[in-house]
Amino acid sequence: MKKLACKNCNYLYSGTDPCPNCKSQNPTDDWKGKVIIVNSEKSDISKYLKKTKNGEFSIKVR
Protein backbone atom coordinates (compact mmCIF):
# COMPACT_ATOMS: atom_id res chain seq x y z
CA MET A 1 0.00 0.00 0.00
CA LYS A 2 1.31 3.44 -0.93
CA LYS A 3 1.93 5.85 1.93
CA LEU A 4 -0.10 9.02 2.20
CA ALA A 5 1.19 12.37 3.41
CA CYS A 6 -0.88 14.68 5.55
CA LYS A 7 -1.20 18.10 3.88
CA ASN A 8 -1.34 19.72 7.31
CA CYS A 9 1.74 18.25 9.09
CA ASN A 10 3.53 16.19 6.35
CA TYR A 11 3.33 12.98 8.44
CA LEU A 12 3.56 9.79 6.33
CA TYR A 13 1.10 6.97 7.07
CA SER A 14 -0.76 4.06 5.48
CA GLY A 15 -4.51 3.79 5.18
CA THR A 16 -7.37 6.21 4.78
CA ASP A 17 -7.98 7.01 8.43
CA PRO A 18 -7.34 10.52 9.74
CA CYS A 19 -3.70 11.45 10.24
CA PRO A 20 -2.42 9.75 13.41
CA ASN A 21 -0.23 12.78 14.14
CA CYS A 22 -2.66 15.73 13.86
CA LYS A 23 -6.05 14.06 13.15
CA SER A 24 -6.47 16.03 9.90
CA GLN A 25 -8.50 14.35 7.16
CA ASN A 26 -6.62 15.91 4.25
CA PRO A 27 -4.19 13.26 2.90
CA THR A 28 -2.43 13.21 -0.47
CA ASP A 29 -0.38 10.65 -2.35
CA ASP A 30 1.51 13.43 -4.19
CA TRP A 31 4.62 13.95 -2.04
CA LYS A 32 8.40 13.87 -2.47
CA GLY A 33 11.30 13.10 -0.17
CA LYS A 34 11.24 11.51 3.24
CA VAL A 35 12.91 12.17 6.58
CA ILE A 36 12.71 9.80 9.55
CA ILE A 37 12.97 11.47 12.94
CA VAL A 38 14.05 9.09 15.70
CA ASN A 39 14.76 11.53 18.55
CA SER A 40 12.98 14.83 17.99
CA GLU A 41 14.37 16.39 21.18
CA LYS A 42 18.02 16.09 20.09
CA SER A 43 17.68 16.28 16.30
CA ASP A 44 18.80 19.46 14.54
CA ILE A 45 16.74 18.44 11.50
CA SER A 46 13.55 18.13 13.57
CA LYS A 47 14.17 21.61 14.98
CA TYR A 48 14.75 23.01 11.49
CA LEU A 49 11.57 21.35 10.20
CA LYS A 50 9.69 22.31 13.41
CA LYS A 51 8.67 18.72 14.16
CA THR A 52 8.16 17.81 17.81
CA LYS A 53 7.20 14.15 17.34
CA ASN A 54 9.14 11.14 16.06
CA GLY A 55 8.13 9.45 12.82
CA GLU A 56 8.30 9.59 9.03
CA PHE A 57 7.64 12.95 7.40
CA SER A 58 7.58 14.02 3.76
CA ILE A 59 9.80 16.88 2.62
CA LYS A 60 7.44 18.29 0.00
CA VAL A 61 3.65 17.88 -0.23
CA ARG A 62 1.63 19.09 -3.21
Side-chain angles (χ1 to χ4, degrees), residues 2-3 7 13 16 24 34 38 51 56 60 62:
K2 188 172 182 177
K3 290 202 173 190
K7 286 185 178 180
Y13 62 98
T16 57
S24 170
K34 174 171 52 171
V38 179
K51 303 298 178 192
E56 282 184 279
K60 185 175 184 179
R62 295 183 196 177

Side-chain angles (χ1 to χ4, degrees), residues 28-46:
T28 182
D29 62 353
D30 191 10
W31 57 272
K32 290 191 178 213
K34 174 171 52 171
V35 63
I36 300 172
I37 297 174
V38 179
N39 188 342
S40 62
E41 293 176 3
K42 294 183 178 181
S43 170
D44 290 333
I45 293 173
S46 68

Side-chain angles (χ1 to χ4, degrees), residues 44-62:
D44 290 333
I45 293 173
S46 68
K47 290 174 188 160
Y48 178 78
L49 295 174
K50 298 177 183 161
K51 303 298 178 192
T52 58
K53 294 186 180 179
N54 298 337
E56 282 184 279
F57 294 89
S58 64
I59 302 293
K60 185 175 184 179
V61 175
R62 295 183 196 177

